[in-house]
Coordinates of all heavy atoms in Angstrom, one line a residue:
K17 N 16.1 1.0 -5.4 CA 16.8 1.7 -4.3 C 18.4 1.7 -4.6 O 19.0 2.8 -4.6 CB 16.6 1.3 -3.0 CG 17.2 2.1 -1.9 CD 16.8 1.6 -0.5 CE 17.2 2.6 0.7 NZ 18.5 2.5 1.1
L18 N 18.9 0.5 -4.9 CA 20.3 0.3 -5.2 C 20.8 1.1 -6.4 O 21.8 1.8 -6.4 CB 20.7 -1.2 -5.4 CG 20.7 -2.0 -4.2 CD1 20.9 -3.5 -4.5 CD2 21.8 -1.6 -3.3
V19 N 19.9 0.9 -7.5 CA 20.3 1.6 -8.8 C 20.2 3.2 -8.5 O 21.1 4.0 -9.1 CB 19.6 1.2 -10.0 CG1 18.1 1.8 -10.0 CG2 20.2 1.5 -11.2
S20 N 19.2 3.7 -7.8 CA 19.1 5.1 -7.6 C 20.3 5.6 -6.8 O 20.8 6.8 -7.1 CB 17.8 5.4 -6.8 OG 17.8 5.1 -5.6
E21 N 20.8 4.8 -5.9 CA 21.9 5.2 -5.1 C 23.2 5.2 -5.9 O 24.1 6.1 -5.9 CB 22.0 4.4 -3.8 CG 20.9 4.8 -2.8 CD 20.9 3.8 -1.6 OE1 21.6 2.8 -1.6 OE2 20.1 4.0 -0.8
A22 N 23.3 4.1 -6.6 CA 24.5 4.0 -7.4 C 24.8 5.0 -8.5 O 25.8 5.4 -8.8 CB 24.7 2.5 -8.0
L23 N 23.6 5.3 -9.1 CA 23.7 6.2 -10.2 C 23.1 7.6 -9.9 O 23.1 8.5 -10.8 CB 22.9 5.7 -11.5 CG 23.2 4.4 -11.9 CD1 22.2 3.8 -13.1 CD2 24.6 4.4 -12.5
E24 N 22.9 7.9 -8.6 CA 22.4 9.1 -8.1 C 21.2 9.7 -8.8 O 21.2 10.8 -9.3 CB 23.6 10.2 -8.0 CG 24.7 9.7 -7.1 CD 25.8 10.8 -7.1 OE1 25.8 11.9 -7.8 OE2 26.8 10.5 -6.5
L25 N 20.1 8.8 -9.1 CA 19.0 9.2 -9.7 C 18.0 9.7 -8.9 O 17.8 9.2 -7.8 CB 18.4 8.0 -10.6 CG 19.4 7.4 -11.6 CD1 18.7 6.0 -12.1 CD2 19.5 8.4 -12.7
S26 N 17.2 10.7 -9.2 CA 16.1 11.3 -8.5 C 14.9 10.3 -8.6 O 14.9 9.4 -9.5 CB 15.7 12.6 -9.0 OG 15.2 12.4 -10.3
M27 N 13.8 10.6 -7.8 CA 12.7 9.7 -7.9 C 12.1 9.9 -9.2 O 11.5 8.9 -9.8 CB 11.8 10.3 -6.6 CG 10.5 9.4 -6.7 SD 10.8 7.7 -6.1 CE 10.6 7.9 -4.3
S28 N 12.1 11.1 -9.8 CA 11.4 11.3 -11.1 C 12.1 10.6 -12.1 O 11.5 10.2 -13.1 CB 11.2 12.8 -11.4 OG 12.4 13.4 -11.4
S29 N 13.5 10.6 -12.1 CA 14.3 9.8 -13.0 C 13.9 8.3 -13.0 O 13.7 7.7 -14.0 CB 15.7 10.0 -12.9 OG 16.1 11.4 -13.1
L30 N 13.8 7.8 -11.8 CA 13.4 6.4 -11.6 C 12.1 6.2 -12.2 O 11.8 5.1 -12.9 CB 13.5 5.9 -10.2 CG 14.8 5.6 -9.6 CD1 14.6 5.5 -8.1 CD2 15.5 4.5 -10.3
A31 N 11.1 7.1 -12.1 CA 9.8 6.9 -12.5 C 9.8 6.9 -14.1 O 9.1 6.1 -14.6 CB 8.9 8.0 -12.0
R32 N 10.5 7.8 -14.7 CA 10.7 7.9 -16.2 C 11.3 6.5 -16.7 O 10.8 6.0 -17.7 CB 11.5 9.0 -16.6 CG 10.7 10.3 -16.5 CD 11.5 11.5 -17.4 NE 12.8 11.6 -16.9 CZ 13.2 12.4 -15.8 NH1 12.4 13.1 -15.2 NH2 14.5 12.7 -15.5
L33 N 12.3 6.0 -16.0 CA 12.9 4.7 -16.4 C 11.9 3.6 -16.3 O 11.8 2.8 -17.3 CB 14.1 4.4 -15.6 CG 15.3 5.2 -15.9 CD1 16.5 4.9 -14.9 CD2 15.9 4.9 -17.3
S34 N 11.1 3.5 -15.2 CA 10.1 2.5 -15.1 C 9.1 2.5 -16.0 O 8.7 1.6 -16.7 CB 9.6 2.7 -13.7 OG 8.6 1.7 -13.4
L35 N 8.5 3.8 -16.3 CA 7.5 3.9 -17.3 C 8.0 3.6 -18.7 O 7.2 3.0 -19.6 CB 6.9 5.4 -17.3 CG 6.1 5.6 -16.0 CD1 5.7 7.1 -15.9 CD2 4.8 4.8 -15.9
A36 N 9.3 4.0 -19.0 CA 9.8 3.6 -20.3 C 9.9 2.1 -20.6 O 9.8 1.7 -21.7 CB 11.3 4.2 -20.4
S37 N 10.0 1.4 -19.5 CA 10.1 -0.2 -19.8 C 8.8 -0.7 -20.5 O 8.8 -1.8 -21.0 CB 10.3 -0.8 -18.4 OG 9.1 -0.8 -17.6
F38 N 7.7 0.0 -20.3 CA 6.5 -0.5 -21.0 C 6.7 -0.5 -22.5 O 6.1 -1.3 -23.2 CB 5.3 0.4 -20.6 CG 4.7 0.2 -19.3 CD1 5.2 0.8 -18.2 CD2 3.7 -0.7 -19.0 CE1 4.7 0.8 -16.9 CE2 3.1 -1.0 -17.9 CZ 3.7 -0.4 -16.8
N39 N 7.6 0.2 -23.0 CA 7.9 0.3 -24.5 C 8.6 -1.0 -24.8 O 8.6 -1.4 -26.1 CB 8.8 1.4 -24.8 CG 8.2 2.7 -24.5 OD1 6.9 2.9 -24.7 ND2 9.0 3.7 -24.2
Y40 N 9.0 -1.9 -24.0 CA 9.7 -3.1 -24.3 C 8.9 -4.2 -23.8 O 9.5 -5.4 -23.9 CB 11.2 -3.0 -23.8 CG 11.8 -1.8 -24.3 CD1 12.0 -0.7 -23.4 CD2 12.4 -1.7 -25.6 CE1 12.5 0.5 -24.0 CE2 13.0 -0.6 -25.9 CZ 13.0 0.5 -25.1 OH 13.7 1.6 -25.6
S41 N 7.6 -4.2 -23.5 CA 6.9 -5.3 -23.1 C 6.3 -6.1 -24.2 O 6.3 -5.6 -25.3 CB 5.7 -4.8 -22.1 OG 4.8 -4.3 -22.9
F42 N 5.8 -7.3 -23.9 CA 5.4 -8.3 -24.9 C 3.9 -8.4 -24.7 O 3.3 -9.5 -25.0 CB 6.1 -9.6 -24.9 CG 7.6 -9.5 -25.2 CD1 8.5 -9.5 -24.2 CD2 8.0 -9.4 -26.5 CE1 9.8 -9.4 -24.5 CE2 9.3 -9.1 -26.7 CZ 10.2 -9.3 -25.8
C43 N 3.1 -7.3 -24.4 CA 1.8 -7.4 -24.2 C 0.9 -7.0 -25.5 O 1.5 -6.3 -26.3 CB 1.2 -6.4 -23.2 SG 1.8 -6.6 -21.5
E44 N -0.3 -7.3 -25.6 CA -1.1 -6.8 -26.7 C -1.3 -5.4 -26.4 O -1.3 -4.9 -25.3 CB -2.4 -7.6 -26.7 CG -2.3 -9.1 -27.0 CD -3.6 -9.7 -27.0 OE1 -4.7 -9.1 -27.2 OE2 -3.7 -11.0 -26.9
S45 N -1.4 -4.6 -27.4 CA -1.4 -3.2 -27.4 C -2.5 -2.6 -26.5 O -2.3 -1.6 -25.7 CB -1.4 -2.4 -28.7 OG -2.6 -2.7 -29.4
E46 N -3.7 -3.2 -26.6 CA -4.8 -2.7 -25.7 C -4.4 -2.9 -24.2 O -4.6 -1.9 -23.4 CB -6.1 -3.5 -26.0 CG -7.2 -2.9 -25.4 CD -8.6 -3.4 -25.8 OE1 -8.8 -3.7 -27.1 OE2 -9.5 -3.7 -25.0
L47 N -4.0 -4.1 -23.8 CA -3.5 -4.3 -22.5 C -2.4 -3.4 -22.1 O -2.4 -2.9 -21.0 CB -3.2 -5.8 -22.3 CG -2.7 -6.2 -20.9 CD1 -3.7 -5.8 -19.8 CD2 -2.3 -7.7 -21.0
L48 N -1.4 -3.3 -22.9 CA -0.3 -2.4 -22.7 C -0.7 -1.0 -22.4 O -0.2 -0.4 -21.4 CB 0.7 -2.5 -23.9 CG 1.9 -1.5 -23.8 CD1 2.7 -1.9 -22.6 CD2 2.9 -1.7 -25.1
H49 N -1.6 -0.5 -23.2 CA -2.2 0.8 -23.1 C -2.8 1.0 -21.8 O -2.5 2.0 -20.9 CB -3.0 1.3 -24.1 CG -3.6 2.7 -24.0 ND1 -2.9 3.7 -24.2 CD2 -4.8 3.0 -23.6 CE1 -3.7 4.8 -24.0 NE2 -4.9 4.4 -23.6
A50 N -3.6 0.0 -21.3 CA -4.3 0.1 -20.0 C -3.3 0.0 -18.8 O -3.4 0.8 -17.9 CB -5.3 -1.0 -19.9
L51 N -2.4 -0.9 -18.8 CA -1.3 -1.0 -17.8 C -0.5 0.3 -17.8 O -0.2 0.9 -16.7 CB -0.5 -2.2 -18.1 CG -1.1 -3.6 -18.0 CD1 -0.1 -4.7 -18.4 CD2 -1.5 -3.8 -16.6
H52 N -0.1 0.8 -18.9 CA 0.8 2.0 -18.9 C 0.0 3.3 -18.3 O 0.6 4.0 -17.6 CB 1.3 2.3 -20.3 CG 2.3 3.3 -20.3 ND1 2.5 4.2 -21.4 CD2 3.5 3.4 -19.6 CE1 3.5 5.0 -21.2 NE2 4.2 4.6 -20.1
S53 N -1.3 3.3 -18.7 CA -2.1 4.4 -18.2 C -2.2 4.4 -16.7 O -2.1 5.4 -16.0 CB -3.4 4.4 -18.9 OG -4.4 5.3 -18.4
H54 N -2.5 3.1 -16.2 CA -2.5 2.9 -14.7 C -1.2 3.4 -13.9 O -1.2 4.0 -13.1 CB -3.0 1.6 -14.4 CG -3.1 1.2 -13.0 ND1 -4.2 1.7 -12.2 CD2 -2.2 0.6 -12.2 CE1 -4.0 1.3 -10.9 NE2 -2.8 0.6 -10.9
A55 N -0.2 2.8 -14.6 CA 1.2 3.1 -14.0 C 1.4 4.6 -14.0 O 2.1 5.2 -13.0 CB 2.2 2.3 -14.8
R56 N 1.1 5.2 -15.0 CA 1.3 6.7 -15.1 C 0.7 7.5 -14.0 O 1.2 8.3 -13.3 CB 1.0 7.3 -16.5 CG 2.0 7.1 -17.6 CD 1.7 7.9 -18.8 NE 0.3 7.9 -19.2 CZ -0.1 7.1 -20.1 NH1 0.6 6.3 -20.8 NH2 -1.4 7.3 -20.5
K57 N -0.6 7.0 -13.8 CA -1.5 7.6 -12.7 C -0.9 7.5 -11.3 O -0.8 8.3 -10.5 CB -2.9 7.2 -12.9 CG -3.6 7.6 -14.0 CD -5.1 7.0 -14.1 CE -5.6 7.4 -15.4 NZ -6.9 6.7 -15.7
Q58 N -0.5 6.1 -11.1 CA 0.1 5.9 -9.8 C 1.4 6.5 -9.7 O 1.7 6.9 -8.5 CB 0.2 4.3 -9.8 CG -1.0 3.4 -9.7 CD -2.0 4.0 -8.5 OE1 -1.5 4.0 -7.4 NE2 -3.2 4.3 -8.7
T59 N 2.2 6.6 -10.7 CA 3.5 7.3 -10.6 C 3.4 8.8 -10.2 O 4.0 9.3 -9.4 CB 4.2 7.2 -11.9 OG1 4.5 5.7 -12.1 CG2 5.7 7.9 -11.8

Side-chain angles (χ1 to χ4, degrees):
K17 185 174 190 281
L18 285 173
V19 76
S20 72
E21 291 170 353
L23 300 177
E24 299 179 2
L25 297 174
S26 67
M27 182 72 87
S28 61
S29 293
L30 281 175
R32 283 193 305 275
L33 285 172
S34 180
L35 290 172
S37 70
F38 283 89
N39 296 326
Y40 305 98
S41 71
F42 297 103
C43 296
E44 294 179 18
S45 64
E46 189 173 315
L47 175 59
L48 176 60
H49 178 72
L51 291 171
H52 194 220
S53 177
H54 179 74
R56 280 193 314 265
K57 290 175 188 172
Q58 293 301 309
T59 299

